[in-house]
Amino acid sequence: MKQGQIRKALSGFYYLYDDGEMVRSKGRGVFRVRGVTPLVGDFVEYEKDGENDAVIVNVHERKNELVRPPIANVDQALLVFSVKEPNFSPKLLDRFLAVIESYGVEPVIILTKTDLLDEKAAAEIRRYTDYYRGIGYTVLKTSIGDGAIAEELIPIIRGKTTVLTGQSGVGKSTLLNTLMPELELKTDEISDSLGRGRHTTRHVELIGYAGGLVADTPGFSSLDFDHLDKEELSGCFAEFAELSEACKFRGCLHLKEPKCAVKAAVETGEAEQFRYDHYVQFLQEIIDRKPRYPS
């Protein structure tokens, strides 16, 4: 049985990469009955069907799958946030980080438009970047027209499957165009009222770059926590996941429980208060949501 990876999905066809060759394929009819939808990034088994086409007969188990863009087996997300226009939002960044962590995807934080900061604002951003680096995240900074970011990203992208995501209007498509000018991605002007840019694409494709694969469209799955139970959220906060091991009670939610290592770390300054505040707000969202019922 031949094996390949879906690199592009377009107009009902799946384009498989197999040992340097791209093979156009269709999914088996039984997939629809079983509720199986092949995704870009899937590793599959296929059979030749005629001279040029093929039929996918089996989709291997995925390590993860995203909704937007619809893609599977992602290793990392380049999380693009601007420091100005729109202004940096630690709460929104923490929401992205928690959701990305929950899918088993490694985040890499990229801060754009750093050339727009005055000295005071730059010092504030340094405080945040120092903390995120201290808890294990890679943080890169770039400015408008900075082509050097591509060189910094090459060792990060090599050997991995990467998507871009982040705040709207911050330059995700600009960054993709810097990495891969052949894409010629276009974005609309940022709306003054919404502070958002808009990017449209007709299909998702994984493109080889620097020895890795990069999705050709910005995006990520929805930023809610519907797929998480309340006990799982702290595991999506890098520093809390480690601290939780020292909590007295297993399944500690780090709210009112005695001898909570997370709360103790916040009180001593070992963990940042702003991160704990965001955790509590996200946890309350999970607690307040309507119960899920089996379909």
Side-chain angles (χ1 to χ4, degrees), residues 16-280:
L16 310 178
Y17 181 84
D18 182 7
D19 195 23
E21 179 186 7
M22 201 65 76
V23 181
R24 192 175 76 161
S25 68
K26 288 279 228 177
R28 290 180 64 188
V30 72
F31 283 174
R32 185 174 299 177
V33 177
R34 295 176 181 172
V36 175
T37 302
L39 295 175
V40 171
D42 272 332
F43 294 95
V44 302
E45 296 174 354
Y46 71 95
E47 296 175 342
K48 282 286 191 177
D49 181 29
E51 191 171 322
N52 298 313
D53 289 351
V55 175
I56 297 172
V57 296
N58 185 41
V59 177
H60 291 183
E61 186 176 352
R62 300 163 179 155
K63 75 174 185 177
N64 55 40
E65 62 180 89
L66 310 182
V67 175
R68 189 174 58 86
I71 189 171
N73 300 313
V74 175
D75 297 311
Q76 65 185 1
L78 305 183
L79 183 48
V80 187
F81 264 64
S82 66
V83 294
K84 197 172 180 66
E85 297 179 7
N87 291 335
F88 178 67
S89 169
K91 182 178 178 181
L92 187 57
L93 174 58
D94 284 343
R95 179 178 284 272
F96 269 94
L97 286 170
V99 170
I100 289 168
E101 292 271 17
S102 73
Y103 284 101
V105 175
E106 181 181 356
V108 175
I109 302 168
I110 301 177
L111 300 181
T112 66
K113 306 183 184 180
T114 54
D115 55 319
L116 301 181
L117 295 177
D118 59 28
E119 190 173 328
K120 181 180 178 182
E124 178 71 4
I125 291 298
R126 275 197 301 273
R127 186 177 78 84
Y128 284 115
T129 57
D130 288 347
Y131 183 75
Y132 285 113
R133 284 171 176 154
I135 58 176
Y137 290 118
T138 298
V139 183
L140 304 178
K141 295 181 182 180
T142 185
S143 57
I144 296 169
D146 176 20
I149 188 66
E151 291 299 316
E152 291 187 81
L153 286 173
I154 285 173
I156 292 172
I157 290 172
R158 185 176 294 122
K160 295 184 177 179
T161 297
T162 302
V163 299
L164 269 76
T165 185
Q167 196 176 12
S168 295
V170 299
K172 294 187 293 293
S173 292
T174 300
L175 180 57
L176 273 171
N177 282 334
T178 299
L179 298 178
M180 295 176 284
E182 68 275 11
L183 293 179
E184 297 181 346
L185 296 179
K186 295 180 180 180
T187 56
D188 293 339
E189 292 291 327
I190 296 175
S191 161
D192 289 335
S193 60
L194 297 177
R196 297 174 180 172
R198 186 170 62 191
H199 169 88
T200 58
T201 185
R202 294 182 179 179
H203 69 276
V204 179
E205 184 173 355
L206 284 173
I207 298 176
Y209 176 80
L213 295 171
V214 179
D216 71 337
T217 174
F220 202 80
S221 51
S222 59
L223 289 175
D224 57 42
F225 301 106
D226 286 351
H227 59 295
L228 280 178
D229 294 325
K230 61 182 184 292
E231 294 83 5
E232 297 173 318
L233 180 63
S234 67
C236 303
F237 280 69
E239 69 275 49
F240 298 171
E242 186 174 342
L243 289 165
S244 295
E245 297 177 7
C247 289
K248 180 179 180 180
F249 296 103
R250 179 174 294 184
C252 181
L253 294 181
H254 321 304
L255 292 176
K256 299 177 181 178
E257 300 90 339
K259 297 185 178 179
C260 169
V262 170
K263 288 192 297 179
V266 174
E267 290 170 4
T268 63
E270 179 186 352
E272 280 277 7
Q273 182 71 48
F274 80 89
R275 286 274 287 174
Y276 179 74
D277 291 343
H278 297 160
Y279 164 78
V280 171

Side-chain angles (χ1 to χ4, degrees), residues 5-22:
Q5 183 187 31
I6 299 176
R7 295 286 178 88
K8 179 170 69 172
L10 180 63
S11 302
F13 289 99
Y14 302 100
Y15 294 82
L16 310 178
Y17 181 84
D18 182 7
D19 195 23
E21 179 186 7
M22 201 65 76

